[in-house]
Amino acid sequence: MTARDRHGESSPRIRDVAAAAGVSHQTVSRVINDSPNVRPETRRLVVEVMERLQYRPNRAARALGLGRARAVTVVTANTTLYGYASVLQGVEEAGRLLGLAVGVRVVESDSAADVRQAVEYVSDPTAGSLVVVAFDPAGAGVLRELPADVPVVAATEAGGLAGAGCRMIFLDERQAAADATRHLLDLGHRTVHHVAIPSEAGASARGAGWREALEAAGRAVPAVLPAGWDYRSAYLAGQRLAADRSVTAILCGNDDTALAVRRALHEAGRDVPGDVSIVGFDDVPGAAYWTPALTTVRMDFGALGRQCVAALAGEPESAPEPPRLVIRESTASPR
C-alpha cells in the first residue's frame, strides 16, 4: 500500500521500497540511517529504488540528516495495567517536555509473527527512538529482535534481561519483595504464600525476593500459585488458599491480584487481617481506600518511564524513588 500526502497524491512508503528492492524493511531502514551493516551492492540497489520511486523519508527524519525522527515510540504488550500505563505516562510527560512526538506500538503476543510485525513497524526511522516495556515475553521478544542500529532503552524487571544488548532500566522489586516477606514474618507468621503474576523470566524478581527472604529465615517455602493478568485467575488462586486454614499470610504479585484474593477470602469467611494478612505490589491509587486499606509496595513506574526518555535523549537522569513497603491495615499478627 502507499500513503497519501496532504494533497491527496499517492506517495511511496518504506515498505514499498523494500518490496521493490527485494530486501527487508529493516535493510531499507539501515540504508536510510547510513548504517555500516549493509553490503555495498545492497546499498546501491536500495538507493536506486528509492530514486526510481521518488521515495523520501518523512520530514522529521530528513531534518536530522536522514536520521531517526524526533519521536519516541513505546513498545508494550499492554496499555491498561497500572505498571505499563504508568511507564507510558512517564514517557509521554518526558517526551512532551523535550518536544518529542510520542507514539505507542502494541505487540499483540509473544508469537514469532506478532513480534516480527512489531519489529518491522518500529524499525522505520519515522518511529524515532524506542522505549520497550519488557516486563513480559512479548516485550522481551521485540527487544531481542531489534536491529542493532535502532536506538532503544528498555524498562525491565529487576536485574535486566538476558540476551539484550541495550540500556536497561529497572526498579529493585526483588529487594522490595524480600522486605514485604520479612514484614510478614516479623509479625509472627510462620511462612508466606505467594500468588504470582506472569513474568518474562522463569522466576520473577518479585518471586525471587519472596523465596530468598523465606530461605534466609529458615522457613518453609510453599508452592507458588500462578495467576494471569486477569482477576478471575487470581480469584481462583485465592479460593485455593482460603480453603487451607494453615494459610495466614499472602504476598500477591500486584494489587489487582490482591483485590481478587481478598474477595475469595471474604467469601470463605476468612477475615483480613484477623485470619489472613495480605500484601500487594505497585500501590495503585485506590489501594489506600480499600477496606481494609492495603499494605503494598510502592513502585515509581512514572519516573521509570521518564528516566528511559532521559537516557535516550542524553539528558541528566533523575533516578526513580526506590520501591518501598507501605504498611496499612491489611497486615497484622496472626491470631
Side-chain angles (χ1 to χ4, degrees):
M1 293 179 63
T2 58
R4 293 187 177 274
D5 64 17
R6 61 179 179 175
H7 301 295
E9 298 173 349
S10 177
S11 58
R13 302 173 61 185
I14 191 170
R15 292 173 178 79
D16 301 319
V17 175
V23 299
S24 70
H25 180 244
Q26 293 96 317
T27 297
V28 177
S29 175
R30 293 187 184 101
V31 171
I32 292 172
N33 285 301
D34 201 24
S35 169
N37 300 322
V38 180
R39 291 184 298 178
E41 59 269 29
T42 302
R43 186 183 303 277
R44 285 194 295 270
L45 171 62
V46 171
V47 169
E48 289 172 1
V49 171
M50 289 170 63
E51 292 176 350
R52 174 163 55 84
L53 296 181
Q54 297 185 329
Y55 170 78
R56 297 292 182 272
N58 119 311
R59 288 183 302 168
R62 289 205 308 272
L64 295 177
L66 292 184
R68 296 184 72 86
R70 282 192 55 80
V72 175
T73 296
V74 180
V75 182
T76 178
N78 194 290
T79 58
T80 59
L81 290 170
Y82 177 72
Y84 292 78
S86 297
V87 171
L88 177 57
Q89 180 181 354
V91 170
E92 192 281 326
E93 290 171 352
R96 179 158 29 93
L97 290 175
L98 293 172
L100 302 173
V102 177
V104 180
R105 175 67 183 188
V106 174
V107 53
E108 298 291 343
S109 77
D110 62 345
S111 72
D114 285 339
V115 168
R116 182 170 58 252
Q117 185 179 50
V119 168
E120 289 181 355
Y121 181 91
V122 298
S123 294
D124 189 317
T126 59
S129 301
L130 306 182
V131 172
V132 177
V133 183
F135 295 159
D136 50 58
V142 170
L143 191 63
R144 292 189 175 108
E145 295 298 322
L146 284 173
D149 58 337
V150 175
V152 58
V153 171
T156 70
E157 287 188 45
L161 191 65
C166 68
R167 172 76 184 276
M168 290 176 278
I169 302 176
F170 50 82
L171 303 172
D172 192 358
E173 53 200 320
R174 185 173 186 154
Q175 181 61 49
D179 292 343
T181 303
R182 279 193 294 270
H183 165 67
L184 290 165
L185 296 178
D186 289 344
L187 287 172
H189 296 278
R190 299 182 63 181
T191 190
V192 179
H193 290 71
H194 181 42
V195 179
I197 56 175
S199 168
E200 192 286 322
S204 72
R206 300 179 185 191
W210 160 79
R211 180 178 299 275
E212 289 168 3
L214 290 177
E215 291 176 344
R219 305 300 178 87
V221 181
V224 174
L225 288 180
W229 292 118
D230 60 300
Y231 288 103
R232 179 162 179 77
S233 63
Y235 169 76
L236 294 174
Q239 285 186 318
R240 291 179 59 185
L241 293 173
D244 183 349
R245 294 289 163 168
S246 70
V247 174
T248 65
I250 304 170
L251 175 65
C252 297
N254 65 14
D255 292 344
D256 288 346
T257 301
L259 178 63
V261 169
R262 170 73 179 91
R263 178 66 189 185
L265 291 168
H266 172 74
E267 290 180 353
R270 307 211 56 196
D271 180 63
V272 175
D275 298 318
V276 183
S277 289
I278 298 179
V279 177
F281 229 101
D282 295 347
D283 195 22
V284 299
Y289 301 97
W290 292 13
T291 302
L294 182 67
T295 294
T296 184
V297 174
R298 180 169 296 163
M299 299 282 283
D300 195 359
F301 289 114
L304 180 62
R306 292 190 291 273
Q307 189 178 21
C308 288
V309 175
L312 284 170
E315 295 287 320
E317 298 179 32
S318 177
E321 174 187 345
R324 66 181 181 88
L325 183 66
V326 180
I327 300 174
R328 299 192 179 108
E329 299 165 352
S330 68
T331 54
S333 298
R335 289 176 177 172

